């Protein structure tokens, strides 16, 4: 199967799964759990370790604990296992992994930590500081990720769970560049991303392989088991309360409880409270942030509830159904720009989805508004024809109700305005500025000049390896296109056509999932409001305050830390660290 066909097949699968599970996820949120005390509880079952969730974090924890000889139970609230990891390609960003070392590449700890600290905490980063300007606890989280990531990979491989290989961008035969490959602190800008080797994964996703190993080793995954609260004995967490299709169960955990669940990308209440904007998400519908309330009732401290792994979404699609099969990861096309309601470009359109989406939150203190709240991806017939089918560009204009068309620039602007009127109740009444048409023309003319010279003087589009490499992957030319290869100096920039038709898509802030929640320490123990570990309670994955903050270090920047801190939790709960 070709890369293009494989991506199309995966898109159809993901859209179908999101639609089928949307109702389940929306109804699975709960509020106000109370941590019960052990004296009040009659146990229905006992085990050593309870792992909650069934994605990368929970499975890594369960596998690690099981290999240490512990009895483990895996609980998943949804009717199928895998969590949002199931929708991923299983890529994991791991520093200093075995395959880098085998190629003779030295990913030194001090260098990698500088990259992570600079990217995650630019406002605090100080190269000369022993903790790089970070608090001791935040520094130790980054340090734990570096120290344990490679060990986690070796552990899973030595345990015959899964075999990894270096991620070469699905057949492009180049090691994937990091998402901030251009930062001077990044001394190994390529090659940290890994993926399951086809021989071990059987062509299936990472989550399926991990769950299969557990089931083959006496750890069945119990679906439709929603954890609703914790049971404590003094300060220690000793078990969980579970809703199994309306029946309440209580499961004792002699050693501890590890949460590896999702964020709250599909919890409207938490989004309204903590997010400036999050219109849709490609997280599985079960991502309703259950652990926030559950851990809070046990006295956990929260961190970074405003944070998310961000990606743009098609606004008009998202307001109809916020459960997205795909987000707008890498914007395709070369004769394409993105402007705000004033007609001005706001960033390098080829930057990574997480960082690019954060431009939606620029606050203008004079206008008292989020100037970039909605953005407009504008392109011509060349980009639609040559790259059609690369999301969010449709294969055919008839496929998309969100595609705005105009035979001329003026007609396009008028039609954008009409679409905005139709969704005004969802956008806060965003309208195009009265000078939008003129500013858009000026932005287009400047961009055309940059395309001809190959130098983007405003946002340096195409000046970094990331821009071109990911463009090649997500802007593969459509078979049968009438348009030639880009002959201009930069692969990612081509002048707009002098004649229409022209097109636009309205973009808004979305997310893969959120990444804020209970705070953990370097052992993956959940911390209380005094900064002390809550005995017996652990967290990893998107349900916790991200150890790397909002720095998406590279492809697999969520799964890598999830696997690693799941592994750390599994080791600590079984007394191995």
């Amino acid at each position: 199967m070709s890369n293009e066909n494989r991506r199309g097949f995966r898109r159809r699968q993901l859209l179908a799964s999101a639609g089928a599970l949307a109702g389940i996820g929306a109804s699975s949120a709960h509020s106000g759990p109370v941590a019960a005390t052990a004296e009040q509880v009659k146990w229905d079952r006992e085990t050593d370790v309870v792992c909650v969730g069934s994605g990368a974090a929970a499975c890594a924890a369960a596998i690690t604990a099981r290999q240490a000889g512990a009895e483990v139970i895996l609980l998943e609230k949804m009717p199928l296992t895998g969590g949002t990891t199931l929708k991923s390609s299983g890529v994991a960003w791991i520093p200093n992994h075995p395959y880098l070392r085998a190629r003779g590449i030295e990913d030194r700890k001090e260098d990698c930590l500088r990259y992570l600290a600079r990217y995650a905490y630019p406002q605090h980063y100080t190269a000369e500081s022993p903790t790089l300007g970070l608090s001791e606890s935040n520094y130790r989280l980054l340090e734990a990720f570096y120290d344990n990531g490679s060990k986690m990979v070796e552990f899973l491989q030595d345990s015959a769970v899964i075999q990894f290989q270096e991620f070469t961008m699905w057949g492009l035969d180049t090691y994937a560049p990091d998402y901030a490959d251009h930062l001077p602190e990044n001394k190994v800008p390529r090659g940290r991303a890994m993926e399951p080797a086809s021989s071990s994964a059987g062509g299936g996703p990472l989550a399926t392989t991990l769950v299969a190993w557990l089931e083959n080793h006496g750890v069945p995954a119990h679906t439709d088991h929603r954890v609703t609260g914790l049971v404590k004995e003094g300060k220690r967490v000793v078990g969980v309360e579970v809703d199994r299709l309306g029946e309440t169960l209580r499961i004792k955990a002699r050693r501890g409880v590890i949460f590896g669940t999702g964020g709250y990308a599909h919890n409207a209440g938490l989004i309204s409270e903590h997010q400036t904007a999050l219109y849709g998400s490609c997280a599985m519908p079960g991502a309703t942030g259950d652990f926030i309330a559950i851990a809070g009732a046990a006295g956990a401290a929260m961190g970074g509830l405003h944070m998310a792994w961000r990606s743009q979404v098609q606004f008009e699609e998202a307001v109809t159904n916020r459960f997205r099969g795909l987000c707008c990861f890498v914007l395709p096309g070369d004769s394409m720009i993105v402007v705000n309601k004033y007609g001005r470009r706001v960033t390098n359109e080829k930057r990574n989805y997480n960082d690019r989406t954060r431009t939606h939150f620029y606050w203008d203190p004079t206008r008292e508004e989020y100037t970039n709240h909605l953005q407009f991806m504008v392109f011509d017939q060349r980009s639609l024809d040559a790259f059609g089918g690369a999301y969010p560009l449709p294969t055919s204009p008839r496929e998309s109700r969100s595609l705005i068309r105009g035979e001329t620039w003026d007609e396009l602007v008028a039609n954008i305005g009409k679409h905005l009127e139709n969704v005004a109740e969802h956008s806060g009444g965003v309208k195009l500025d009265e000078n939008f048409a003129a500013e858009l023309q000026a932005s287009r003319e400047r961009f055309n000049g940059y395309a001809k010279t190959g130098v983007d003087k405003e946002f340096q589009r195409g000046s970094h390896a990331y821009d071109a490499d990911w463009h090649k992957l997500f802007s593969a030319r459509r078979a049968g296109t009438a348009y030639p290869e880009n002959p201009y100096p930069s692969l990612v920039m081509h002048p707009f056509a002098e004649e229409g038709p022209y097109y636009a898509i309205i973009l808004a802030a979305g997310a893969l999932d959120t990444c804020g929640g209970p705070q953990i320490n370097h052992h993956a123990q959940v911390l209380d409001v005094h900064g002390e570990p809550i005995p017996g309670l652990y967290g990893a994955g998107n349900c916790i305050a991200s150890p790397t903050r909002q720095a998406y270090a590279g492809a697999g920047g969520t799964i890598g830390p999830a696997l690693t801190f799941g592994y750390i939790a599994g080791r600590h709960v079984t007394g191995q660290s």
Side-chain angles (χ1 to χ4, degrees):
M1 183 181 291
S2 70
N3 289 337
E4 183 176 352
N5 289 336
R6 178 167 58 179
R7 289 196 294 272
F9 176 66
R10 178 172 291 277
R11 180 191 176 196
R12 291 191 293 273
Q13 286 182 310
L14 303 187
L15 288 169
S17 67
L21 296 171
I24 298 170
S27 64
S28 64
H30 61 90
S31 60
V34 176
T37 60
E39 294 80 6
Q40 302 169 325
V41 169
K42 179 181 178 181
W43 301 108
D44 296 288
R45 185 170 175 181
E46 294 190 20
T47 189
D48 290 324
V49 180
V50 171
C51 292
V52 187
S54 60
C59 285
I63 291 167
T64 305
R66 180 67 185 87
Q67 283 294 76
E71 181 184 0
V72 181
I73 291 176
L74 195 73
L75 303 177
E76 167 58 56
K77 76 175 184 179
M78 300 299 285
L80 78 169
T81 59
T84 299
T85 306
L86 186 66
K87 296 180 62 176
S88 77
S89 297
V91 178
W93 192 91
I94 300 294
N96 194 38
H97 61 67
Y99 298 97
L100 278 175
R101 300 197 300 270
R103 289 197 287 121
I105 295 177
E106 186 179 11
D107 191 3
R108 300 193 311 163
K109 180 175 179 177
E110 55 267 40
D111 292 334
C112 185
L113 291 183
R114 285 192 177 94
Y115 170 54
L116 291 172
R118 162 65 181 82
Y119 201 2
Y121 298 91
Q123 72 277 33
H124 300 307
Y125 175 68
T126 307
E128 298 77 19
S129 165
T131 61
L132 303 177
L134 281 57
S135 68
E136 180 70 24
S137 58
N138 288 333
Y139 179 80
R140 295 196 73 181
L141 286 173
L142 297 183
E143 188 176 46
F145 177 39
Y146 179 91
D147 289 344
N148 289 279
S150 181
K151 294 176 182 177
M152 176 274 299
V153 170
E154 293 171 336
F155 165 76
L156 291 179
Q157 295 192 146
D158 292 345
S159 301
V161 177
I162 193 167
Q163 289 296 311
F164 289 96
Q165 63 188 16
E166 291 178 280
F167 176 51
T168 54
M169 303 183 74
W170 299 311
L172 291 187
D173 296 325
T174 184
Y175 299 112
D178 285 347
Y179 286 4
D181 58 321
H182 59 288
L183 287 180
E185 291 82 8
N186 193 349
K187 305 303 183 185
V188 183
R190 288 184 182 270
R192 291 182 175 122
M194 310 182 71
E195 65 178 342
S198 58
S199 59
S200 65
L206 172 65
T208 302
T209 304
L210 299 180
V211 171
W213 187 95
L214 286 167
E215 292 180 335
N216 290 334
H217 290 77
V219 185
H222 296 288
T223 57
D224 294 310
H225 281 59
R226 178 167 61 90
V227 174
T228 58
L230 300 170
V231 182
K232 296 180 74 176
E233 189 173 87
K235 294 183 177 181
R236 183 175 186 83
V237 172
V238 295
V240 294
E241 291 189 347
V242 181
D243 181 333
R244 182 182 64 182
L245 300 175
E247 177 188 8
T248 299
L249 303 177
R250 295 171 179 86
I251 301 175
K252 184 174 183 178
R254 292 182 287 265
R255 296 193 181 187
V257 176
I258 304 172
F259 276 77
T261 51
Y264 65 84
H266 296 308
N267 185 315
L270 290 174
I271 290 170
S272 177
E273 183 71 22
H274 299 291
Q275 295 289 328
T276 301
L278 200 165
Y279 282 101
S281 171
C282 57
M284 289 294 266
T288 52
D290 301 8
F291 192 40
I292 292 172
I294 292 171
M302 299 296 149
L305 289 177
H306 66 288
M307 299 192 307
W309 303 120
R310 304 193 185 278
S311 187
Q312 291 170 310
V313 293
Q314 291 196 59
F315 182 62
E316 292 177 277
E317 288 187 355
V319 297
T320 301
N321 182 358
R322 66 173 295 104
F323 299 97
R324 308 312 310 149
L326 286 173
C327 293
C328 304
F329 295 122
V330 178
L331 297 181
D334 48 18
S335 49
M336 174 275 295
I337 58 175
V338 176
V339 299
N340 62 16
K341 71 176 188 176
Y342 295 99
R344 299 168 191 154
R345 291 176 67 208
V346 299
T347 190
N348 171 358
E349 294 86 352
K350 295 296 180 177
R351 291 309 297 157
N352 72 79
Y353 40 93
N354 183 61
D355 293 344
R356 190 181 72 241
T357 304
R358 293 169 76 176
T359 63
H360 284 270
F361 310 126
Y362 169 72
W363 176 256
D364 187 323
T366 301
R367 294 187 175 100
E368 302 294 341
E369 66 176 12
Y370 291 102
T371 304
N372 305 330
H373 178 60
L374 294 184
Q375 297 178 22
F376 307 90
M377 179 182 174
V378 180
F379 47 99
D380 63 7
Q381 186 66 34
R382 169 192 164 79
S383 279
L384 181 61
D385 186 88
F387 308 109
Y391 193 79
L393 299 184
T395 303
S396 167
R398 292 186 296 272
E399 291 183 359
S400 174
R401 295 182 180 180
S402 300
L403 184 68
I404 306 170
R405 176 186 170 114
E407 292 300 323
T408 65
W409 284 108
D410 288 343
E411 183 178 340
L412 179 68
V413 171
N415 288 337
I416 292 173
K418 292 176 182 178
H419 277 247
L420 287 175
E421 290 176 5
N422 292 335
V423 293
E425 63 179 302
H426 304 290
S427 70
V430 171
K431 297 180 181 178
L432 299 180
D433 183 70
E434 61 183 8
N435 294 318
F436 177 86
E439 290 292 344
L440 176 60
Q441 287 281 23
S443 295
R444 178 184 68 93
E445 291 172 6
R446 285 193 297 272
F447 176 80
N448 283 354
Y450 304 153
K452 292 172 183 177
T453 63
V455 178
D456 179 356
K457 295 182 179 180
E458 291 178 90
F459 299 108
Q460 295 77 54
R461 175 164 149 182
S463 64
H464 307 303
Y466 173 95
D467 299 11
D469 284 4
W470 289 94
H471 172 85
K472 292 175 186 176
L473 185 63
F474 284 89
S475 292
R477 282 163 44 81
R478 183 179 62 84
T481 180
Y483 288 84
E485 295 277 2
N486 188 336
Y488 289 92
S490 174
L491 180 68
V492 304
M493 293 190 292
H494 188 289
F496 279 79
E498 291 299 321
E499 296 182 355
Y502 302 106
Y503 302 91
I505 292 172
I506 304 174
L507 301 176
L512 285 71
D513 200 354
T514 61
C515 56
Q519 297 180 19
I520 63 166
N521 65 10
H522 57 288
H523 294 305
Q525 294 174 287
V526 174
L527 302 177
D528 66 18
V529 293
H530 303 293
E532 296 297 322
I534 298 175
L537 185 60
Y538 298 81
N542 288 340
C543 66
I544 60 166
S546 167
T548 58
R549 299 294 286 179
Q550 294 182 96
Y552 211 126
T558 62
I559 290 179
L563 287 169
T564 301
F565 280 90
Y567 166 78
I568 291 171
R571 285 181 56 81
H572 194 269
V573 76
T574 53
Q576 299 177 76
S577 61

